Amino acid sequence: MTDVSPAVLDGVLARTTRRRTRVGLVSGGLGAYWPQFPGLLDQLQESARFVTGRFEEMGCEVADAGFISDPQEAAKAAEQLRRADCDIVVMFLTTYLTASMVLPIAQRTHTPVLVIDLQPTEAMDHRNTDTGKWLAYCGQCPLPEVANVFRRSGIPFRSVSGHLHDENAWTRIRRWISAAQVRGVMRHGRHGLMGHLYPGMLDVSTDMTLVSTQFGGHVEVLEFDDLRVRVAAVTDEEAAERVALARTVFTLDGSVDEDDLAWAARVSVGLDRLVEDFELDSLAYYHRGLEGEIHERLGAGMILGASLLTARGIPMAGEYELRASLAMLIADTIGAGGSFTELQALNFRDRVVEMGHDGPAHLAISAKDPLLRGLGVYHGKRGWGVSVEFDVKHGPVTTFGIGQEADGNFVFIASEGEVLPGPLLEIGNTTSRVDFGFDPGEWTDAWSSTGIGHHWTLCTGHRAKELKAAADLLGIAFRTVTGPDEL
């Protein structure tokens, strides 16, 4: 058997490098204070440098427009940030300032704005605080003024108030930065769509134009022949290395046929090249096929390679499920993994919803080593081959999908639960037992009534707040199921 070298292992399983989140930052205060209270400006500028450092620690690319003191400087900062093409603009209110210093930044950058006010410490030392020292604590004073003007201007308002070393405030700020990362990934993303719609799945059908107009990015239309020619170019040595990799990553069930594994390995190498050549961030695919012809064999051989790519942060979804692949990409971007999922069964005895899917899975969020199982037939699909079987890590999870309304607008839909241990299917599918805290039948009714399609992503952690923030920055609706009252 060919051994897989560390270099090959690291290369094939290496996480994809995403574009860094670009944060525009401008800090400010009322210039009338500076001659009145010497030393105040220096203190506030030091606070601004601290904030810049915190954003850099988050891995952000910070476009710092400096410290502004009047509307003229605000206009210059707005122009600088407009050119920077940021994913989010953060306005740091260090002390009182007028709304006229904030409004042009929100108007001219055409970028979502987060307003923060972080006072120096958790409370003033009142006995030793004079007017100048107090002014460093009143960044929250103009916040209602800014909110009022934003509302009257039709600009979405979002803010975080706290102090410089307030980790609760920084947790909330990080939530907005995570949302900005999603916005950046979607604005610049390239999403592959290969093959054709699974016949009759009307909920899966998605208008590609609306993906670009509402999320940004580009949908690249691919054909299975684009994969076919790349698979045909795979060498025996490359295929053998990929088989060895599969033996390293997966536990192989005795049902795995060696020829089917070798074919899946070739398809996996070809998929890697397809993703690289078209610079894809995600891919949704389906081909029906007929009587074992090459396109049917390619479709049946996708699961191994698609799962490896999904684990690297390049999600793959079967059944031409473009919205699910986008949801998987968003989940992965916020560090939640995200595996292709649908309903499988309800367990009323254990009060859990059993969900998962045949096909690609996010291997990085598996509860244990994922299993490769050989299948002589794929249910509901033509072909045969190897499939992935696993359970998402036990603990908090979120179901997350993208719905589409009658007017064409997308909506984020989420529900938080917990994956519990227990008996699972052993049929070459991913399966997880999710407890949502109330009757599984009532959850299923409430979840279905949101307008979700029959596919979504199961991601680790309770992520509703992060997903709601991402929806806010993208300008789309957010809907959640928290109990049976949603019916």
Side-chain angles (χ1 to χ4, degrees):
M1 182 184 73
T2 300
D3 292 329
V4 57
S5 70
V8 170
L9 186 65
D10 291 343
V12 174
L13 297 181
R15 291 281 300 172
T16 186
T17 301
R18 300 202 193 284
R19 172 185 176 276
R20 292 174 65 194
T21 307
R22 189 171 300 164
V23 175
L25 178 62
V26 58
S27 307
L30 190 65
Y33 294 150
W34 314 150
Q36 293 177 325
F37 304 101
L40 175 60
L41 177 59
D42 290 340
Q43 179 185 357
L44 300 181
Q45 289 175 327
E46 180 61 28
S47 294
R49 285 190 287 272
F50 175 84
V51 168
T52 299
R54 287 297 297 255
F55 284 130
E56 290 174 340
E57 288 172 6
M58 295 179 197
C60 300
E61 176 186 339
V62 181
D64 194 340
F67 198 100
I68 62 174
S69 302
D70 55 43
Q72 293 91 332
E73 292 179 353
K76 293 177 182 177
E79 179 59 22
Q80 180 179 339
L81 294 176
R82 184 191 66 78
R83 293 195 302 268
D85 186 31
C86 300
D87 301 314
I88 191 170
V89 169
V90 179
M91 180 71 201
F92 178 21
L93 311 183
T94 65
T95 185
Y96 177 77
L97 47 65
T98 63
S100 64
M101 296 169 59
V102 180
L103 182 60
I105 294 169
Q107 289 176 319
R108 300 180 192 181
T109 57
H110 301 291
T111 301
V113 174
L114 170 66
V115 181
I116 64 174
D117 61 276
L118 304 174
Q119 63 189 40
T121 64
E122 60 184 353
M124 291 185 290
D125 177 3
H126 296 80
R127 184 180 297 275
N128 298 303
T129 298
D130 58 17
T131 303
K133 292 180 180 178
W134 157 65
L135 287 171
Y137 281 81
C138 72
Q140 74 288 142
C141 179
L143 194 64
E145 176 180 339
V146 172
N148 173 278
V149 172
F150 274 28
R151 179 179 288 271
R152 291 164 66 182
S153 304
I155 297 170
F157 173 78
R158 50 192 76 85
S159 69
V160 173
S161 300
H163 62 87
L164 286 175
H165 302 282
D166 179 1
E167 287 309 312
N168 177 53
W170 281 107
T171 295
R172 288 143 58 205
I173 291 170
R174 276 192 293 271
R175 191 176 297 145
W176 287 112
I177 297 305
S178 176
Q181 186 179 18
V182 170
R183 180 174 183 264
V185 166
M186 298 303 282
R187 285 199 306 140
H188 298 273
R190 289 179 53 83
H191 315 295
L193 194 57
M194 184 171 71
H196 61 80
L197 185 72
Y198 189 111
M201 286 188 182
L202 302 183
D203 63 321
V204 168
S205 179
T206 301
D207 187 327
M208 293 182 292
T209 302
L210 293 181
V211 171
S212 295
T213 56
Q214 294 185 45
F215 292 137
H218 169 74
V219 178
E220 182 73 16
V221 177
L222 303 170
E223 297 180 356
F224 261 75
D225 289 321
D226 292 315
L227 178 61
R228 175 182 58 79
V229 296
R230 288 164 175 81
V231 170
V234 174
T235 66
D236 291 343
E237 181 181 3
E238 290 170 329
E241 285 183 341
R242 191 57 54 95
V243 169
L245 176 72
R247 295 184 183 279
T248 300
V249 174
F250 295 88
T251 297
L252 266 64
D253 184 74
S255 59
V256 172
D257 180 89
E258 290 296 327
D259 289 341
D260 291 345
L261 178 59
W263 173 247
R266 286 185 180 274
V267 175
S268 176
V269 177
L271 266 178
D272 286 358
R273 290 179 179 160
L274 182 81
V275 165
E276 181 179 357
D277 291 346
F278 287 95
E279 300 177 340
L280 300 180
D281 296 294
S282 69
L283 175 67
Y285 65 91
Y286 176 75
H287 184 83
R288 183 171 57 191
L290 185 66
E291 296 181 350
E293 51 83 35
I294 183 61
H295 299 96
E296 177 184 301
R297 295 296 297 130
L298 288 168
M302 293 275 286
I303 295 173
L304 171 64
S307 297
L308 291 171
L309 281 164
T310 299
R312 289 175 48 200
I314 306 169
M316 305 274 161
E319 299 179 7
Y320 211 62
E321 186 43 287
L322 175 59
R323 296 199 311 279
S325 64
L326 296 178
M328 292 165 68
L329 177 60
I330 290 167
D332 190 85
T333 298
I334 65 175
S339 202
F340 193 37
T341 306
E342 67 183 1
L343 290 171
Q344 292 177 325
L346 304 181
N347 186 327
F348 292 94
R349 181 183 59 243
D350 296 340
R351 292 179 64 83
V352 296
V353 179
E354 298 182 23
M355 59 179 67
H357 209 283
D358 65 320
H362 199 308
L363 306 179
I365 62 171
S366 178
K368 57 184 179 180
D369 287 348
L371 178 79
L372 274 185
R373 185 180 295 278
L375 297 178
V377 61
Y378 289 155
H379 75 271
K381 303 179 182 70
R382 300 184 190 275
W384 65 93
V386 295
S387 190
V388 174
E389 192 172 292
F390 90 145
D391 179 21
V392 168
K393 292 176 182 177
H394 300 169
V397 291
T398 303
T399 56
F400 166 54
I402 301 174
Q404 192 164 17
E405 307 285 67
D407 61 5
N409 286 326
F410 294 123
V411 55
F412 281 8
I413 304 170
S415 186
E416 295 178 342
E418 183 178 3
V419 171
L420 301 179
L424 301 170
L425 287 171
E426 297 180 355
I427 60 171
N429 282 204
T430 64
T431 305
S432 296
R433 295 157 41 93
V434 187
D435 178 6
F436 291 98
F438 58 103
D439 180 83
E442 291 183 90
W443 180 86
T444 300
D445 291 336
W447 180 246
S448 300
S449 72
T450 63
I452 189 75
H454 81 280
H455 297 129
W456 53 86
T457 182
L458 183 62
C459 41
T460 56
H462 284 167
R463 305 288 182 166
K465 290 181 179 179
E466 292 170 82
L467 294 168
K468 183 178 180 180
D472 183 281
L473 293 195
L474 289 166
I476 66 174
F478 176 79
R479 195 169 293 149
T480 185
V481 171
T482 59
D485 293 340
E486 277 83 9
L487 289 173

